[in-house]
């Protein structure tokens, strides 16, 4: 399957957006799970819209605006903790297999309180048969701590290709955590924000990335996480057509690795 993150920009209603994504050729979508980034208060209703358009909902992305508060012993820490628990419950309610979560940046080390909260979140995921995919950003030490501490099959890894290239190129994340890979965020670097460009438009070594993803045995969708920040001069239809061609190329590369 080939997928894409659905909040990639453009002021287009989600009912129309999903039709355009489907017309471009995609099989599945990843949903942003809050009212921010243009989603609006009815974001939970978009699961039905996506499925009515013929999509598999691959995962949801938990809110990121409070991620560094996870270990704080105050209302801010409790807020992000409760939001992650709610995401797991929502996955269970809406039949979504995976939630992607950002751990705090490494200058906000996960404390004993943070680990205790994550333990409860993981237990909730086990009870609901939901997988948590912890994503790599500027959080490599926290990621290592959490994945080392929690060996549950419900605690996995979301590999982000651009964040890897930008923040931790010296660390072979797929070698370390490939056996726990539960989601992909494939996008390239460069451009005005040095991230979320379409594959092959930046400096990510796609041959290396795709070979490693394939050889660790990952069977999930080839999923892009682009934004239109560097493509605002083209229409949403052209953006999606271009995105699908690049995603198809990556998917073909995965298949080729298996034949070698």
């Amino acid at each position: 399957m080939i997928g894409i993150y659905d909040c990639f920009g453009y002021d287009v209603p989600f009912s129309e957006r999903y039709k355009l994504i489907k017309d471009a050729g995609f099989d599945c979508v990843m949903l942003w799970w809050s009212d921010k980034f243009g989603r609006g208060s009815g974001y939970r209703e978009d699961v039905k819209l996506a499925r009515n358009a013929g999509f598999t909902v691959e995962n949801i992305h938990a809110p990121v605006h409070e991620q560094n508060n996870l270990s704080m012993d105050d209302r801010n820490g409790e807020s992000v903790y409760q939001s992650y628990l709610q995401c797991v419950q929502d996955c269970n309610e809406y039949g979504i297999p995976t939630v992607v979560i950002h751990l705090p940046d490494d200058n906000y080390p996960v404390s004993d309180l943070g680990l205790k909260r994550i333990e409860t979140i993981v237990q909730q995921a086990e009870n609901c048969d939901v997988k948590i995919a912890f994503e790599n950003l500027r959080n490599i030490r926290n990621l290592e701590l959490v994945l080392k501490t929690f060996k549950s099959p419900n605690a996995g890894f979301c590999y982000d290709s651009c964040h890897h290239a930008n923040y931790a190129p010296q660390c072979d994340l797929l070698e370390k955590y490939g056996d726990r890979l539960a989601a992909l965020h494939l996008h390239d670097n460069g451009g005005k924000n040095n991230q979320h460009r379409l594959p092959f438009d930046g400096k990510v070594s796609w041959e290396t990335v795709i070979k490693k993803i394939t050889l660790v045995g990952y069977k999930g969708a080839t999923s892009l996480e682009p934004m239109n920040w560097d493509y605002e001069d083209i229409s949403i239809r052209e953006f999606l057509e271009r995105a699908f061609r690049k995603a198809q190329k990556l998917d073909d590369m995965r298949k080729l690795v298996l034949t070698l």
Side-chain angles (χ1 to χ4, degrees):
M1 291 197 300
I2 296 177
I4 192 169
Y5 169 65
D6 68 347
C7 283
F8 48 78
Y10 297 101
D11 186 15
V12 175
F14 279 88
S15 56
E16 181 180 350
R17 178 181 299 257
Y18 290 132
K19 183 180 185 304
L20 291 168
I21 295 172
K22 193 67 176 178
D23 288 346
F26 289 95
D27 306 299
C28 56
V29 287
M30 305 181 290
L31 275 59
W32 173 254
W33 205 248
S34 85
D35 59 359
K36 294 183 171 58
F37 295 147
R39 180 123 237 153
S41 59
Y43 61 92
R44 289 178 173 87
E45 300 168 7
D46 293 338
V47 175
K48 183 176 181 180
L49 291 178
R51 287 175 173 155
N52 285 345
F55 289 115
T56 298
V57 178
E58 186 184 2
N59 58 60
I60 61 172
H61 200 310
V64 300
H65 301 84
E66 299 179 296
Q67 65 189 44
N68 291 331
N69 297 335
L70 182 64
S71 293
M72 295 179 67
D73 191 9
D74 59 16
R75 288 185 299 177
N76 293 325
E78 184 67 17
S79 176
V80 67
Y81 168 52
Q82 292 298 329
S83 75
Y84 291 165
L85 283 173
Q86 186 63 54
C87 284
V88 173
Q89 292 169 10
D90 287 345
C91 280
N92 182 49
E93 179 178 349
Y94 291 94
I96 299 168
T98 305
V99 53
V100 174
I101 288 180
H102 286 189
L103 291 168
D105 293 346
D106 280 337
N107 53 339
Y108 298 87
V110 175
S111 67
D112 288 343
L113 175 60
L115 288 175
K116 184 63 177 177
R117 286 171 169 162
I118 293 171
E119 180 180 21
T120 303
I121 295 166
V122 171
Q123 289 173 346
Q124 175 86 345
E126 291 173 343
N127 293 337
C128 295
D129 194 23
V130 169
K131 180 154 286 190
I132 300 169
F134 295 105
E135 181 180 350
N136 59 290
L137 295 102
R138 297 182 180 89
N139 60 3
I140 302 305
R141 291 193 300 276
N142 283 334
L143 183 67
E144 180 176 22
L145 172 64
V146 168
L147 291 180
K148 182 178 179 180
T149 302
F150 301 103
K151 300 295 188 181
S152 168
N154 295 78
F157 173 48
C158 172
Y159 177 71
D160 188 298
S161 58
C162 179
H163 294 162
H164 185 196
N166 285 354
Y167 307 140
Q170 74 290 346
C171 183
D172 193 338
L173 296 173
L174 289 166
E175 173 68 23
K176 294 182 72 171
Y177 310 124
D179 61 335
R180 302 178 71 176
L181 194 56
L184 294 178
H185 284 176
L186 302 178
H187 56 112
D188 222 322
N189 55 14
K192 64 180 70 174
N193 293 291
N194 198 29
Q195 60 180 331
H196 294 294
R197 299 183 84 194
L198 293 173
F200 308 103
D201 289 355
K203 296 182 179 179
V204 169
S205 177
W206 289 107
E207 287 189 6
T208 300
V209 167
I210 293 302
K211 183 176 181 179
K212 286 181 178 293
I213 288 170
T214 306
L215 292 181
V216 299
Y218 182 68
K219 304 298 185 185
T222 301
S223 292
L224 304 190
E225 194 195 31
M227 295 296 296
N228 75 326
W229 297 330
D230 295 292
Y231 309 93
E232 293 168 324
D233 60 330
I234 64 175
S235 69
I236 183 172
R237 187 179 294 275
E238 184 177 350
F239 175 83
L240 285 166
E241 290 172 351
R242 191 179 299 184
F244 182 77
R245 288 196 300 271
K246 291 170 180 287
Q248 183 71 71
K249 182 176 179 179
L250 294 178
D251 203 56
D252 289 344
M253 290 168 66
R254 288 179 66 181
K255 294 172 184 175
L256 181 61
V257 171
L258 292 174
T259 67
L260 299 178

